[in-house]
Amino acid sequence: MTLAEPQTTLAVRCNDVVKTYGSGNSKVTALRGVDLDVRTNELMMLVGPSGCGKTTLISVIAGILDQDSGECEVFNHNFKQMSAGEKTRYRGQTVGFVFQAFNLLPTLTAAENASIPLLINGMKRKEAVERAQATLSRVGLGDRGHSLPAQLSGGQQQRVAIARALIHGPKLIVCDEPTSALDATTGHKVMEILREVALGEDRALIIVTHDSRIFEFADRIAQMNDGQIVKVVDSHMELDKH
Amino acid sequence: MLMIALKMLIGDRAKYIALVAGIAFAALLITQQASIFAGFTRRAGSWIRGVNYPDIWVTDQTMEFSDDLKHMSDMKLHRVRGVQGVAWAVPMFKGIIQVRLPDGTQKTVRLLGLDDATLIGGPPEYVAGELKDLRQDAAVLVNQADLVKDLSLPRDPSGRKLGVGDRIVINDNQARIVGIYRSPKEFFWGSLIYTTYSRALAWAPKERNRLTYVLAKAAPGEDPTTVARRIEAQTGLLARTNAEFDRATIMWMINNTGILPNFGITIALGFVIGALVAGQTFYSFVLDNLRSFAVLKAMGLSNKRVLMMLVLQVVIVGSVGYGLGLGLASVVGYTMRDTEIAFFMPWVIPVFGAVGVLVCCMLAGVLGMIRVLRVEPAVVFKN
């Protein structure tokens, strides 16, 4: 929550971010002046009740939703100051996504799904699929590159999604409920993989979750309520104290 | 990304087949109906094209098409022969007349009288006999195709067909079949029986004017069109080159028979049905894949590249569907080549069909494209 630290150590800096949906009587304020810093080499979890604005906040941070006011910088780049094309390009190079429902393309193989960010960034298909195969090996799916999503278990599909989020070396990975569709053991495994391969000195990981089973993997946890960050703690044990 | 677009399209087999089938159906209707229309227009002028020796057809100035039988005075033949640039000119009679067949059946036929001396204007192909056999006494030539239709013998218990040597009665005059010819199918109805000009005049009902056509040849080095205009200027008659007379007959058929709106409606229906089926299916395909497109956009795929993917999908569906539809139309046309169905597919029809299908596909794709371009990538986080 503080802006005192040097900018170079910050992956994300949000300052007084406001976002509303709709207008008139149906107007809903999803974010009410959110301040949040995420450091490099940090796994930040966003927790809170449904409808508190977690997903809206990571959408703004990932550059797929425009805030109404306030500033949000990702590695010192302000999406508000970019054109739509620049923002799309920057997002393609800098941000990786992991979704609750995996969102794999059902007609593509695991390797082809994982290769998509490289293809978006202009790499030739053959080379991209070869690299995807290698990335799948890093998440323990080296032998399932030719499988279609329907032929994989939920945990395997999420690992393909992680490979897809990592393959182009993004500085920021945002995950929306990455373990809620998985059993405890598989969820645990997925979190271990994420921590192992997604963090680095110039990278950061933001995870939105309701799943208290994975709180232990967080470096810090930001608790949201009613469109605001109500507290940021270093350990999930501290959440329980309040 | 284009390979991904292709896999997205083909991976959903049911929708892909429905899309291709919709476009194929549209292409089939458009090209097949257009080909039948072209076949009918071709038949309208087939008799004129068959009489290919003269360059110019001279008729009464009110005559609109080849079977609009308006006769002129015999003197007109001499006036045409007197025009500069005319190498030769011969008379031709064409009229409607009653025929009684050997089994007693009465038919109305078209009787065509060829110049006695030259027999110019006779049919080009013969199954039995030949053109010069018309010089025999009371000789006539009949069409092979008519032997099983207008000139069949329904009351003859033996089930036989008319043949060379049979006698028929034309307006109470005995006539003898000396030859059977073969000719391209005509749009205009009624058997066409050939005889000589003098015999035709003798058999036909008496009228003051009985010269139907003057067939003329332009002298060597003379342009037939120029000679035709000169004939018109000097005689007050209507003179048309083969191509002009052919075109005038086709245009009369198009303008006066309702054939164009009838085929036009079917072609338009094919277009509309194809666009609706393909449009609905493609839109449904887009809706099914909307999340995938949103994911791609969230991951940094620009709207321009998304649009390229969709255009590729539309082009693939359009090409495959059009190829199938055109192929099916061709097969239908080929299998019906010996039937009454007029089918003629000049190069312009596949081109016209391709444009029609392209418009179908663009209409089909545009709604889906708008939907994909408008989808916010943020929906990827909604479950």
Side-chain angles (χ1 to χ4, degrees):
Chain A
M1 290 252 287
T2 174
L3 298 177
E5 294 173 59
Q7 283 193 356
T8 50
T9 63
L10 290 181
V12 176
R13 189 177 66 162
C14 293
N15 184 21
D16 197 21
V17 173
V18 175
K19 175 66 186 177
T20 56
Y21 296 108
S23 58
N25 290 336
S26 59
K27 188 174 174 181
V28 174
T29 304
L31 300 178
R32 300 169 185 272
V34 170
D35 296 325
L36 177 70
D37 291 345
V38 180
R39 302 165 193 146
T40 52
N41 203 20
E42 178 177 58
L43 194 164
M44 167 70 83
M45 280 188 189
L46 289 177
V47 301
S50 294
C52 71
K54 305 185 295 290
T55 300
T56 300
L57 181 57
I58 58 161
S59 297
V60 170
I61 290 170
I64 57 176
L65 190 67
D66 294 330
Q67 70 269 34
D68 297 335
S69 63
E71 300 299 323
C72 192
E73 292 182 359
V74 175
F75 292 97
N76 296 324
H77 286 76
N78 191 332
F79 284 130
K80 261 177 118 174
Q81 293 167 358
M82 294 181 188
S83 67
E86 287 170 339
K87 193 163 42 171
T88 302
R89 216 165 19 253
Y90 185 75
R91 198 168 62 226
Q93 292 162 354
T94 311
V95 185
F97 294 88
V98 178
F99 309 100
Q100 178 182 0
F102 320 134
N103 285 338
L104 301 177
L105 273 62
T107 54
L108 304 187
T109 64
E112 287 167 338
N113 264 294
S115 70
I116 287 174
L118 296 178
L119 297 173
I120 289 174
N121 285 305
M123 188 178 281
K124 291 267 188 282
R125 183 171 177 272
K126 190 180 171 200
E127 189 184 349
V129 172
E130 280 172 6
R131 278 186 53 181
Q133 195 62 52
T135 310
L136 284 173
S137 298
R138 285 177 70 193
V139 296
L141 289 175
D143 56 339
R144 303 308 300 268
H146 295 292
S147 302
L148 292 171
Q151 297 164 328
L152 301 173
S153 68
Q156 288 172 324
Q157 287 187 56
Q158 194 59 298
R159 280 190 275 165
V160 175
I162 291 169
R164 182 178 65 182
L166 293 170
I167 192 165
H168 53 311
K171 290 182 171 181
L172 176 67
I173 294 178
V174 293
C175 307
D176 183 38
E177 305 280 7
T179 58
S180 63
L182 308 175
D183 61 68
T185 311
T186 311
H188 211 266
K189 174 75 177 165
V190 162
M191 286 309 300
E192 282 175 349
I193 292 170
L194 271 173
R195 269 214 77 101
E196 183 188 331
V197 297
L199 287 176
E201 287 304 317
D202 58 347
R203 297 178 184 198
L205 185 58
I206 302 175
I207 294 176
V208 165
T209 187
H210 278 104
D211 187 355
S212 58
R213 299 170 301 181
I214 63 168
F215 285 176
E216 62 185 280
F217 290 93
D219 293 314
R220 286 193 302 155
I221 300 173
Q223 186 165 27
M224 291 188 72
N225 195 20
D226 196 20
Q228 291 178 310
I229 303 277
V230 291
K231 65 182 169 187
V232 179
V233 296
D234 290 332
S235 159
H236 66 287
M237 304 298 282
E238 292 178 50
L239 279 179
D240 302 334
K241 289 178 186 172
H242 299 273
Chain B
M1 294 311 296
L2 297 182
M3 183 58 75
I4 288 177
L6 204 58
K7 288 195 125 187
M8 282 172 78
L9 177 71
I10 295 170
D12 189 345
R13 289 288 160 85
K15 281 222 162 45
Y16 176 66
I17 290 169
L19 272 169
V20 167
I23 296 293
F25 181 66
L28 171 67
L29 271 183
I30 291 171
T31 55
Q32 194 237 18
Q33 290 297 305
S35 296
I36 293 176
F37 174 72
F40 276 125
T41 58
R42 193 176 182 222
R43 283 185 183 182
S46 66
W47 175 69
I48 298 166
R49 289 190 298 276
V51 184
N52 55 8
Y53 192 43
D55 297 326
I56 301 162
W57 296 73
V58 185
T59 63
D60 180 84
Q61 60 183 343
T62 61
M63 191 168 182
E64 295 183 79
F65 63 100
S66 64
D67 273 44
D68 183 19
L69 304 175
K70 288 167 182 163
H71 305 301
M72 309 173 283
S73 151
D74 283 350
M75 295 302 293
K76 302 292 185 187
L77 173 63
H78 302 297
R79 294 200 63 188
V80 173
R81 283 175 173 161
V83 174
Q84 188 193 347
V86 173
W88 50 255
V90 295
M92 179 182 268
F93 170 84
K94 196 174 190 182
I96 308 295
I97 202 161
Q98 289 291 317
V99 170
R100 195 170 69 245
L101 303 179
D103 68 342
T105 307
Q106 294 252 22
K107 291 283 181 179
T108 302
V109 301
R110 293 174 296 162
L111 182 67
L112 200 132
L114 304 176
D115 176 46
D116 292 54
T118 62
L119 298 178
I120 283 172
E125 279 187 60
Y126 294 85
V127 177
E130 53 187 326
L131 184 59
K132 68 180 182 186
D133 291 336
L134 274 187
R135 295 207 167 93
Q136 296 174 27
D137 182 43
V140 293
L141 301 172
V142 295
N143 190 344
Q144 182 191 28
D146 290 333
L147 299 181
V148 290
K149 291 194 309 178
D150 288 358
L151 299 183
S152 64
L153 303 171
R155 296 183 184 179
D156 190 317
S158 68
R160 76 179 187 93
K161 293 179 195 165
L162 277 180
V164 172
D166 276 325
R167 290 185 176 277
I168 57 176
V169 178
I170 300 179
N171 199 20
D172 286 338
N173 298 281
Q174 286 288 330
R176 191 167 56 89
I177 298 171
V178 297
I180 298 170
Y181 68 90
R182 183 161 49 211
S183 69
K185 287 189 172 63
E186 277 195 81
F187 174 76
F188 297 105
W189 52 92
S191 303
L192 191 58
I193 295 179
Y194 284 79
T195 189
T196 59
Y197 185 70
S198 59
R199 209 175 288 139
L201 294 190
W203 292 346
K206 299 296 179 240
E207 290 179 57
R208 193 162 65 88
N209 297 325
R210 294 195 292 175
L211 175 63
T212 319
Y213 307 102
V214 174
L215 306 184
K217 186 81 174 175
E222 291 277 359
D223 172 38
T225 307
T226 308
V227 174
R229 298 296 88 80
R230 202 178 292 149
I231 292 170
E232 286 182 328
Q234 291 184 22
T235 64
L237 299 170
L238 196 56
R240 287 175 279 208
T241 62
N242 292 340
E244 287 171 343
F245 196 32
D246 186 4
R247 192 160 52 245
T249 299
I250 289 171
M251 289 315 294
W252 181 88
M253 184 201 78
I254 289 172
N255 293 329
N256 292 278
T257 62
I259 197 169
L260 181 63
N262 276 307
F263 279 94
I265 286 168
T266 311
I267 292 167
L269 269 179
F271 177 81
V272 170
I273 290 170
L276 283 176
V277 171
Q280 196 274 336
T281 315
F282 191 75
Y283 191 65
S284 165
F285 164 79
V286 164
L287 288 186
D288 286 353
N289 287 279
L290 204 55
R291 178 170 282 266
S292 295
F293 283 114
V295 168
L296 294 173
K297 287 172 77 169
M299 289 194 296
L301 193 66
S302 65
N303 270 341
K304 186 180 163 189
R305 290 175 75 189
V306 170
L307 204 60
M308 281 172 63
M309 290 175 71
L310 289 164
V311 167
L312 177 79
Q313 288 167 341
V314 167
V315 166
I316 294 289
V317 163
S319 304
V320 175
Y322 179 63
L324 282 174
L326 184 64
L328 205 55
S330 304
V331 169
V332 169
Y334 184 76
T335 52
M336 292 184 167
R337 65 191 182 283
D338 293 326
T339 68
E340 285 302 304
I341 302 293
F343 188 93
F344 175 56
M345 192 187 282
W347 64 268
V348 72
I349 287 178
V351 171
F352 162 77
V355 172
V357 166
L358 180 69
V359 173
C360 258
C361 289
M362 291 318 292
L363 288 175
V366 75
L367 281 179
M369 289 178 193
I370 290 170
R371 186 67 196 263
V372 169
L373 292 180
R374 283 187 176 168
V375 70
E376 287 290 339
V379 302
V380 293
F381 287 127
K382 291 180 183 163
N383 293 313

